[in-house]
PDB file of all heavy atoms in Angstrom:
ATOM      1  N   ARG A   1    -101.873  47.223   7.711  1.00 97.00           N
ATOM      2  CA  ARG A   1    -102.865  48.258   8.017  1.00 97.00           C
ATOM      3  C   ARG A   1    -102.678  49.488   7.136  1.00 97.00           C
ATOM      4  O   ARG A   1    -102.396  50.587   7.622  1.00 97.00           O
ATOM      5  CB  ARG A   1    -102.788  48.651   9.489  1.00 97.00           C
ATOM      6  CG  ARG A   1    -103.162  47.516  10.437  1.00 97.00           C
ATOM      7  CD  ARG A   1    -103.412  48.009  11.839  1.00 97.00           C
ATOM      8  NE  ARG A   1    -103.877  46.945  12.705  1.00 97.00           N
ATOM      9  CZ  ARG A   1    -104.323  47.151  13.953  1.00 97.00           C
ATOM     10  NH1 ARG A   1    -104.325  48.371  14.462  1.00 97.00           N
ATOM     11  NH2 ARG A   1    -104.746  46.126  14.678  1.00 97.00           N
ATOM     12  N   PRO A   2    -102.826  49.347   5.827  1.00 97.00           N
ATOM     13  CA  PRO A   2    -102.708  50.514   4.952  1.00 97.00           C
ATOM     14  C   PRO A   2    -103.828  51.516   5.203  1.00 97.00           C
ATOM     15  O   PRO A   2    -104.970  51.126   5.458  1.00 97.00           O
ATOM     16  CB  PRO A   2    -102.802  49.914   3.548  1.00 97.00           C
ATOM     17  CG  PRO A   2    -103.497  48.611   3.731  1.00 97.00           C
ATOM     18  CD  PRO A   2    -103.094  48.107   5.076  1.00 97.00           C
ATOM     19  N   GLN A   3    -103.480  52.778   5.130  1.00 96.00           N
ATOM     20  CA  GLN A   3    -104.447  53.858   5.295  1.00 96.00           C
ATOM     21  C   GLN A   3    -104.481  54.658   4.001  1.00 96.00           C
ATOM     22  O   GLN A   3    -103.489  55.285   3.618  1.00 96.00           O
ATOM     23  CB  GLN A   3    -104.071  54.743   6.484  1.00 96.00           C
ATOM     24  CG  GLN A   3    -104.099  53.981   7.803  1.00 96.00           C
ATOM     25  CD  GLN A   3    -103.934  54.887   8.994  1.00 96.00           C
ATOM     26  OE1 GLN A   3    -104.606  55.914   9.103  1.00 96.00           O
ATOM     27  NE2 GLN A   3    -103.049  54.506   9.905  1.00 96.00           N
ATOM     28  N   LEU A   4    -105.623  54.613   3.338  1.00 97.00           N
ATOM     29  CA  LEU A   4    -105.758  55.154   1.991  1.00 97.00           C
ATOM     30  C   LEU A   4    -106.653  56.382   1.968  1.00 97.00           C
ATOM     31  O   LEU A   4    -107.503  56.569   2.836  1.00 97.00           O
ATOM     32  CB  LEU A   4    -106.324  54.085   1.058  1.00 97.00           C
ATOM     33  CG  LEU A   4    -105.637  52.713   1.107  1.00 97.00           C
ATOM     34  CD1 LEU A   4    -106.307  51.762   0.125  1.00 97.00           C
ATOM     35  CD2 LEU A   4    -104.143  52.837   0.825  1.00 97.00           C
ATOM     36  N   THR A   5    -106.449  57.199   0.953  1.00 94.00           N
ATOM     37  CA  THR A   5    -107.292  58.368   0.750  1.00 94.00           C
ATOM     38  C   THR A   5    -107.634  58.478  -0.733  1.00 94.00           C
ATOM     39  O   THR A   5    -107.241  57.635  -1.543  1.00 94.00           O
ATOM     40  CB  THR A   5    -106.591  59.644   1.265  1.00 94.00           C
ATOM     41  OG1 THR A   5    -107.540  60.721   1.308  1.00 94.00           O
ATOM     42  CG2 THR A   5    -105.423  60.045   0.381  1.00 94.00           C
ATOM     43  N   ASP A   6    -108.389  59.506  -1.065  1.00 92.00           N
ATOM     44  CA  ASP A   6    -108.876  59.741  -2.422  1.00 92.00           C
ATOM     45  C   ASP A   6    -107.765  59.580  -3.462  1.00 92.00           C
ATOM     46  O   ASP A   6    -106.673  60.131  -3.316  1.00 92.00           O
ATOM     47  CB  ASP A   6    -109.459  61.153  -2.481  1.00 92.00           C
ATOM     48  CG  ASP A   6    -110.293  61.413  -3.714  1.00 92.00           C
ATOM     49  OD1 ASP A   6    -109.724  61.386  -4.823  1.00 92.00           O
ATOM     50  OD2 ASP A   6    -111.498  61.655  -3.580  1.00 92.00           O
ATOM     51  N   GLY A   7    -108.058  58.850  -4.536  1.00 92.00           N
ATOM     52  CA  GLY A   7    -107.076  58.666  -5.592  1.00 92.00           C
ATOM     53  C   GLY A   7    -106.656  59.956  -6.258  1.00 92.00           C
ATOM     54  O   GLY A   7    -105.566  60.049  -6.838  1.00 92.00           O
ATOM     55  N   GLY A   8    -107.507  60.986  -6.165  1.00 88.00           N
ATOM     56  CA  GLY A   8    -107.200  62.263  -6.779  1.00 88.00           C
ATOM     57  C   GLY A   8    -106.050  63.002  -6.134  1.00 88.00           C
ATOM     58  O   GLY A   8    -105.476  63.914  -6.737  1.00 88.00           O
ATOM     59  N   VAL A   9    -105.690  62.633  -4.906  1.00 89.00           N
ATOM     60  CA  VAL A   9    -104.540  63.256  -4.261  1.00 89.00           C
ATOM     61  C   VAL A   9    -103.268  62.942  -5.048  1.00 89.00           C
ATOM     62  O   VAL A   9    -102.375  63.780  -5.186  1.00 89.00           O
ATOM     63  CB  VAL A   9    -104.414  62.786  -2.798  1.00 89.00           C
ATOM     64  CG1 VAL A   9    -103.135  63.310  -2.154  1.00 89.00           C
ATOM     65  CG2 VAL A   9    -105.641  63.221  -1.998  1.00 89.00           C
ATOM     66  N   TYR A  10    -103.202  61.737  -5.597  1.00 91.00           N
ATOM     67  CA  TYR A  10    -102.037  61.310  -6.377  1.00 91.00           C
ATOM     68  C   TYR A  10    -102.233  61.554  -7.869  1.00 91.00           C
ATOM     69  O   TYR A  10    -101.315  62.006  -8.558  1.00 91.00           O
ATOM     70  CB  TYR A  10    -101.773  59.829  -6.130  1.00 91.00           C
ATOM     71  CG  TYR A  10    -100.521  59.297  -6.786  1.00 91.00           C
ATOM     72  CD1 TYR A  10     -99.300  59.348  -6.130  1.00 91.00           C
ATOM     73  CD2 TYR A  10    -100.556  58.747  -8.061  1.00 91.00           C
ATOM     74  CE1 TYR A  10     -98.140  58.863  -6.730  1.00 91.00           C
ATOM     75  CE2 TYR A  10     -99.414  58.265  -8.668  1.00 91.00           C
ATOM     76  CZ  TYR A  10     -98.212  58.320  -7.999  1.00 91.00           C
ATOM     77  OH  TYR A  10     -97.073  57.847  -8.600  1.00 91.00           O
ATOM     78  N   ASP A  11    -103.432  61.246  -8.382  1.00 93.00           N
ATOM     79  CA  ASP A  11    -103.674  61.339  -9.826  1.00 93.00           C
ATOM     80  C   ASP A  11    -105.176  61.432 -10.058  1.00 93.00           C
ATOM     81  O   ASP A  11    -105.857  60.420 -10.161  1.00 93.00           O
ATOM     82  CB  ASP A  11    -103.087  60.111 -10.531  1.00 93.00           C
ATOM     83  CG  ASP A  11    -103.434  60.042 -12.009  1.00 93.00           C
ATOM     84  OD1 ASP A  11    -103.929  61.038 -12.554  1.00 93.00           O
ATOM     85  OD2 ASP A  11    -103.208  58.973 -12.621  1.00 93.00           O
ATOM     86  N   ASN A  12    -105.700  62.666 -10.145  1.00 91.00           N
ATOM     87  CA  ASN A  12    -107.142  62.836 -10.244  1.00 91.00           C
ATOM     88  C   ASN A  12    -107.698  62.489 -11.622  1.00 91.00           C
ATOM     89  O   ASN A  12    -108.905  62.433 -11.810  1.00 91.00           O
ATOM     90  CB  ASN A  12    -107.561  64.266  -9.886  1.00 91.00           C
ATOM     91  CG  ASN A  12    -109.031  64.352  -9.534  1.00 91.00           C
ATOM     92  OD1 ASN A  12    -109.540  63.555  -8.749  1.00 91.00           O
ATOM     93  ND2 ASN A  12    -109.744  65.316 -10.127  1.00 91.00           N
ATOM     94  N   LEU A  13    -106.840  62.233 -12.583  1.00 95.00           N
ATOM     95  CA  LEU A  13    -107.310  61.827 -13.908  1.00 95.00           C
ATOM     96  C   LEU A  13    -107.410  60.304 -14.041  1.00 95.00           C
ATOM     97  O   LEU A  13    -107.989  59.811 -15.006  1.00 95.00           O
ATOM     98  CB  LEU A  13    -106.378  62.366 -14.996  1.00 95.00           C
ATOM     99  CG  LEU A  13    -106.320  63.882 -15.155  1.00 95.00           C
ATOM    100  CD1 LEU A  13    -105.316  64.262 -16.234  1.00 95.00           C
ATOM    101  CD2 LEU A  13    -107.692  64.457 -15.485  1.00 95.00           C
ATOM    102  N   GLY A  14    -106.823  59.567 -13.101  1.00 95.00           N
ATOM    103  CA  GLY A  14    -106.782  58.109 -13.254  1.00 95.00           C
ATOM    104  C   GLY A  14    -105.932  57.706 -14.444  1.00 95.00           C
ATOM    105  O   GLY A  14    -106.142  56.655 -15.059  1.00 95.00           O
ATOM    106  N   LEU A  15    -104.936  58.525 -14.759  1.00 96.00           N
ATOM    107  CA  LEU A  15    -104.184  58.381 -15.997  1.00 96.00           C
ATOM    108  C   LEU A  15    -103.033  57.377 -15.918  1.00 96.00           C
ATOM    109  O   LEU A  15    -102.731  56.676 -16.890  1.00 96.00           O
ATOM    110  CB  LEU A  15    -103.636  59.755 -16.405  1.00 96.00           C
ATOM    111  CG  LEU A  15    -102.845  59.855 -17.699  1.00 96.00           C
ATOM    112  CD1 LEU A  15    -103.694  59.438 -18.897  1.00 96.00           C
ATOM    113  CD2 LEU A  15    -102.336  61.287 -17.888  1.00 96.00           C
ATOM    114  N   GLU A  16    -102.385  57.284 -14.776  1.00 95.00           N
ATOM    115  CA  GLU A  16    -101.105  56.592 -14.720  1.00 95.00           C
ATOM    116  C   GLU A  16    -101.162  55.131 -15.161  1.00 95.00           C
ATOM    117  O   GLU A  16    -100.319  54.671 -15.938  1.00 95.00           O
ATOM    118  CB  GLU A  16    -100.507  56.692 -13.316  1.00 95.00           C
ATOM    119  CG  GLU A  16     -99.135  56.062 -13.227  1.00 95.00           C
ATOM    120  CD  GLU A  16     -98.328  56.567 -12.052  1.00 95.00           C
ATOM    121  OE1 GLU A  16     -98.233  57.784 -11.870  1.00 95.00           O
ATOM    122  OE2 GLU A  16     -97.786  55.725 -11.326  1.00 95.00           O
ATOM    123  N   THR A  17    -102.138  54.382 -14.679  1.00 95.00           N
ATOM    124  CA  THR A  17    -102.170  52.952 -14.999  1.00 95.00           C
ATOM    125  C   THR A  17    -102.590  52.678 -16.439  1.00 95.00           C
ATOM    126  O   THR A  17    -102.477  51.549 -16.918  1.00 95.00           O
ATOM    127  CB  THR A  17    -103.109  52.183 -14.045  1.00 95.00           C
ATOM    128  OG1 THR A  17    -104.446  52.661 -14.219  1.00 95.00           O
ATOM    129  CG2 THR A  17    -102.689  52.359 -12.604  1.00 95.00           C
ATOM    130  N   VAL A  18    -103.087  53.704 -17.140  1.00 97.00           N
ATOM    131  CA  VAL A  18    -103.388  53.591 -18.564  1.00 97.00           C
ATOM    132  C   VAL A  18    -102.221  54.106 -19.402  1.00 97.00           C
ATOM    133  O   VAL A  18    -101.750  53.443 -20.323  1.00 97.00           O
ATOM    134  CB  VAL A  18    -104.683  54.360 -18.914  1.00 97.00           C
ATOM    135  CG1 VAL A  18    -104.823  54.530 -20.431  1.00 97.00           C
ATOM    136  CG2 VAL A  18    -105.890  53.630 -18.368  1.00 97.00           C
ATOM    137  N   PHE A  19    -101.738  55.286 -19.073  1.00 96.00           N
ATOM    138  CA  PHE A  19    -100.711  55.953 -19.875  1.00 96.00           C
ATOM    139  C   PHE A  19     -99.448  55.119 -20.010  1.00 96.00           C
ATOM    140  O   PHE A  19     -98.820  55.087 -21.068  1.00 96.00           O
ATOM    141  CB  PHE A  19    -100.372  57.302 -19.235  1.00 96.00           C
ATOM    142  CG  PHE A  19     -99.413  58.140 -20.041  1.00 96.00           C
ATOM    143  CD1 PHE A  19     -99.876  58.945 -21.071  1.00 96.00           C
ATOM    144  CD2 PHE A  19     -98.058  58.119 -19.772  1.00 96.00           C
ATOM    145  CE1 PHE A  19     -99.002  59.720 -21.810  1.00 96.00           C
ATOM    146  CE2 PHE A  19     -97.176  58.895 -20.511  1.00 96.00           C
ATOM    147  CZ  PHE A  19     -97.651  59.697 -21.540  1.00 96.00           C
ATOM    148  N   LYS A  20     -99.083  54.415 -18.964  1.00 94.00           N
ATOM    149  CA  LYS A  20     -97.840  53.661 -18.978  1.00 94.00           C
ATOM    150  C   LYS A  20     -97.998  52.256 -19.554  1.00 94.00           C
ATOM    151  O   LYS A  20     -97.042  51.476 -19.569  1.00 94.00           O
ATOM    152  CB  LYS A  20     -97.268  53.577 -17.564  1.00 94.00           C
ATOM    153  CG  LYS A  20     -96.962  54.946 -16.966  1.00 94.00           C
ATOM    154  CD  LYS A  20     -96.341  54.860 -15.611  1.00 94.00           C
ATOM    155  CE  LYS A  20     -94.905  54.426 -15.691  1.00 94.00           C
ATOM    156  NZ  LYS A  20     -94.222  54.476 -14.393  1.00 94.00           N
ATOM    157  N   ASN A  21     -99.203  51.960 -20.051  1.00 95.00           N
ATOM    158  CA  ASN A  21     -99.441  50.609 -20.540  1.00 95.00           C
ATOM    159  C   ASN A  21    -100.091  50.518 -21.918  1.00 95.00           C
ATOM    160  O   ASN A  21     -99.919  49.513 -22.596  1.00 95.00           O
ATOM    161  CB  ASN A  21    -100.314  49.841 -19.542  1.00 95.00           C
ATOM    162  CG  ASN A  21     -99.581  49.535 -18.258  1.00 95.00           C
ATOM    163  OD1 ASN A  21     -98.845  48.559 -18.164  1.00 95.00           O
ATOM    164  ND2 ASN A  21     -99.752  50.392 -17.263  1.00 95.00           N
ATOM    165  N   TYR A  22    -100.836  51.543 -22.341  1.00 96.00           N
ATOM    166  CA  TYR A  22    -101.609  51.432 -23.579  1.00 96.00           C
ATOM    167  C   TYR A  22    -101.312  52.565 -24.554  1.00 96.00           C
ATOM    168  O   TYR A  22    -101.094  53.708 -24.157  1.00 96.00           O
ATOM    169  CB  TYR A  22    -103.110  51.376 -23.266  1.00 96.00           C
ATOM    170  CG  TYR A  22    -103.474  50.094 -22.562  1.00 96.00           C
ATOM    171  CD1 TYR A  22    -103.575  50.054 -21.174  1.00 96.00           C
ATOM    172  CD2 TYR A  22    -103.651  48.920 -23.272  1.00 96.00           C
ATOM    173  CE1 TYR A  22    -103.855  48.862 -20.511  1.00 96.00           C
ATOM    174  CE2 TYR A  22    -103.936  47.723 -22.627  1.00 96.00           C
ATOM    175  CZ  TYR A  22    -104.038  47.705 -21.246  1.00 96.00           C
ATOM    176  OH  TYR A  22    -104.304  46.519 -20.601  1.00 96.00           O
ATOM    177  N   LYS A  23    -101.363  52.221 -25.823  1.00 94.00           N
ATOM    178  CA  LYS A  23    -101.072  53.176 -26.891  1.00 94.00           C
ATOM    179  C   LYS A  23    -102.216  54.167 -27.086  1.00 94.00           C
ATOM    180  O   LYS A  23    -101.989  55.334 -27.412  1.00 94.00           O
ATOM    181  CB  LYS A  23    -100.815  52.412 -28.202  1.00 94.00           C
ATOM    182  CG  LYS A  23    -100.427  53.271 -29.382  1.00 94.00           C
ATOM    183  CD  LYS A  23     -99.019  53.784 -29.282  1.00 94.00           C
ATOM    184  CE  LYS A  23     -98.576  54.495 -30.562  1.00 94.00           C
ATOM    185  NZ  LYS A  23     -97.202  54.986 -30.476  1.00 94.00           N
ATOM    186  N   THR A  24    -103.453  53.700 -26.899  1.00 96.00           N
ATOM    187  CA  THR A  24    -104.622  54.558 -27.104  1.00 96.00           C
ATOM    188  C   THR A  24    -105.235  54.931 -25.762  1.00 96.00           C
ATOM    189  O   THR A  24    -105.601  54.060 -24.972  1.00 96.00           O
ATOM    190  CB  THR A  24    -105.672  53.853 -27.982  1.00 96.00           C
ATOM    191  OG1 THR A  24    -105.074  53.482 -29.230  1.00 96.00           O
ATOM    192  CG2 THR A  24    -106.850  54.770 -28.249  1.00 96.00           C
ATOM    193  N   VAL A  25    -105.356  56.232 -25.527  1.00 97.00           N
ATOM    194  CA  VAL A  25    -105.834  56.757 -24.247  1.00 97.00           C
ATOM    195  C   VAL A  25    -107.030  57.663 -24.487  1.00 97.00           C
ATOM    196  O   VAL A  25    -106.953  58.611 -25.277  1.00 97.00           O
ATOM    197  CB  VAL A  25    -104.735  57.553 -23.518  1.00 97.00           C
ATOM    198  CG1 VAL A  25    -105.256  58.076 -22.178  1.00 97.00           C
ATOM    199  CG2 VAL A  25    -103.482  56.712 -23.334  1.00 97.00           C
ATOM    200  N   ILE A  26    -108.129  57.372 -23.821  1.00 98.00           N
ATOM    201  CA  ILE A  26    -109.297  58.262 -23.811  1.00 98.00           C
ATOM    202  C   ILE A  26    -109.448  58.761 -22.375  1.00 98.00           C
ATOM    203  O   ILE A  26    -109.694  57.966 -21.464  1.00 98.00           O
ATOM    204  CB  ILE A  26    -110.573  57.536 -24.270  1.00 98.00           C
ATOM    205  CG1 ILE A  26    -110.411  57.042 -25.714  1.00 98.00           C
ATOM    206  CG2 ILE A  26    -111.792  58.443 -24.143  1.00 98.00           C
ATOM    207  CD1 ILE A  26    -111.560  56.168 -26.196  1.00 98.00           C
ATOM    208  N   CYS A  27    -109.274  60.049 -22.180  1.00 98.00           N
ATOM    209  CA  CYS A  27    -109.255  60.618 -20.832  1.00 98.00           C
ATOM    210  C   CYS A  27    -110.386  61.621 -20.672  1.00 98.00           C
ATOM    211  O   CYS A  27    -110.441  62.635 -21.378  1.00 98.00           O
ATOM    212  CB  CYS A  27    -107.911  61.289 -20.574  1.00 98.00           C
ATOM    213  SG  CYS A  27    -107.718  61.906 -18.886  1.00 98.00           S
ATOM    214  N   SER A  28    -111.275  61.341 -19.745  1.00 98.00           N
ATOM    215  CA  SER A  28    -112.429  62.193 -19.468  1.00 98.00           C
ATOM    216  C   SER A  28    -112.226  62.899 -18.134  1.00 98.00           C
ATOM    217  O   SER A  28    -112.160  62.264 -17.084  1.00 98.00           O
ATOM    218  CB  SER A  28    -113.705  61.340 -19.434  1.00 98.00           C
ATOM    219  OG  SER A  28    -114.837  62.137 -19.167  1.00 98.00           O
ATOM    220  N   ASP A  29    -112.135  64.224 -18.175  1.00 97.00           N
ATOM    221  CA  ASP A  29    -111.803  65.033 -17.004  1.00 97.00           C
ATOM    222  C   ASP A  29    -113.021  65.828 -16.540  1.00 97.00           C
ATOM    223  O   ASP A  29    -113.446  66.773 -17.199  1.00 97.00           O
ATOM    224  CB  ASP A  29    -110.649  65.977 -17.351  1.00 97.00           C
ATOM    225  CG  ASP A  29    -110.190  66.815 -16.170  1.00 97.00           C
ATOM    226  OD1 ASP A  29    -110.719  66.634 -15.057  1.00 97.00           O
ATOM    227  OD2 ASP A  29    -109.295  67.662 -16.372  1.00 97.00           O
ATOM    228  N   ALA A  30    -113.568  65.435 -15.407  1.00 95.00           N
ATOM    229  CA  ALA A  30    -114.693  66.150 -14.804  1.00 95.00           C
ATOM    230  C   ALA A  30    -114.277  66.826 -13.509  1.00 95.00           C
ATOM    231  O   ALA A  30    -115.100  67.108 -12.642  1.00 95.00           O
ATOM    232  CB  ALA A  30    -115.863  65.203 -14.547  1.00 95.00           C
ATOM    233  N   GLY A  31    -112.975  67.081 -13.374  1.00 85.00           N
ATOM    234  CA  GLY A  31    -112.473  67.743 -12.183  1.00 85.00           C
ATOM    235  C   GLY A  31    -112.953  69.181 -12.091  1.00 85.00           C
ATOM    236  O   GLY A  31    -113.202  69.839 -13.099  1.00 85.00           O
ATOM    237  N   GLY A  32    -113.070  69.675 -10.878  1.00 69.00           N
ATOM    238  CA  GLY A  32    -113.555  71.031 -10.660  1.00 69.00           C
ATOM    239  C   GLY A  32    -112.488  72.074 -10.941  1.00 69.00           C
ATOM    240  O   GLY A  32    -111.291  71.790 -10.980  1.00 69.00           O
ATOM    241  N   ASP A  33    -112.927  73.302 -11.143  1.00 69.00           N
ATOM    242  CA  ASP A  33    -112.023  74.417 -11.378  1.00 69.00           C
ATOM    243  C   ASP A  33    -111.606  75.018 -10.037  1.00 69.00           C
ATOM    244  O   ASP A  33    -112.397  75.068  -9.094  1.00 69.00           O
ATOM    245  CB  ASP A  33    -112.732  75.480 -12.226  1.00 69.00           C
ATOM    246  CG  ASP A  33    -111.775  76.547 -12.724  1.00 69.00           C
ATOM    247  OD1 ASP A  33    -110.564  76.282 -12.741  1.00 69.00           O
ATOM    248  OD2 ASP A  33    -112.252  77.637 -13.100  1.00 69.00           O
ATOM    249  N   LEU A  34    -110.354  75.474  -9.938  1.00 62.00           N
ATOM    250  CA  LEU A  34    -109.871  76.129  -8.732  1.00 62.00           C
ATOM    251  C   LEU A  34    -110.093  77.626  -8.890  1.00 62.00           C
ATOM    252  O   LEU A  34    -109.284  78.327  -9.502  1.00 62.00           O
ATOM    253  CB  LEU A  34    -108.396  75.822  -8.504  1.00 62.00           C
ATOM    254  CG  LEU A  34    -107.798  76.371  -7.203  1.00 62.00           C
ATOM    255  CD1 LEU A  34    -108.414  75.669  -5.998  1.00 62.00           C
ATOM    256  CD2 LEU A  34    -106.288  76.217  -7.199  1.00 62.00           C
ATOM    257  N   ALA A  35    -111.194  78.104  -8.363  1.00 67.00           N
ATOM    258  CA  ALA A  35    -111.536  79.519  -8.496  1.00 67.00           C
ATOM    259  C   ALA A  35    -110.662  80.378  -7.589  1.00 67.00           C
ATOM    260  O   ALA A  35    -110.270  79.959  -6.497  1.00 67.00           O
ATOM    261  CB  ALA A  35    -113.011  79.731  -8.155  1.00 67.00           C
TER     262      ALA A  35
END
């Protein structure tokens, strides 16, 4: 019974599963600004 929440709580860029596996990384960040 896993209970999951938004992936952004851990990594809002979705970077980890790419960064640790591939030499070429294209990262698009549409995260909001903390005013």
Side-chain angles (χ1 to χ4, degrees):
R1 295 194 175 188
Q3 297 189 49
L4 311 180
T5 192
D6 194 295
V9 174
Y10 185 89
D11 173 12
N12 199 48
L13 295 178
L15 182 61
E16 184 159 310
T17 63
V18 166
F19 185 84
K20 300 183 74 174
N21 291 277
Y22 292 96
K23 183 74 172 181
T24 303
V25 181
I26 298 173
C27 185
S28 180
D29 183 3
D33 191 20
L34 184 67

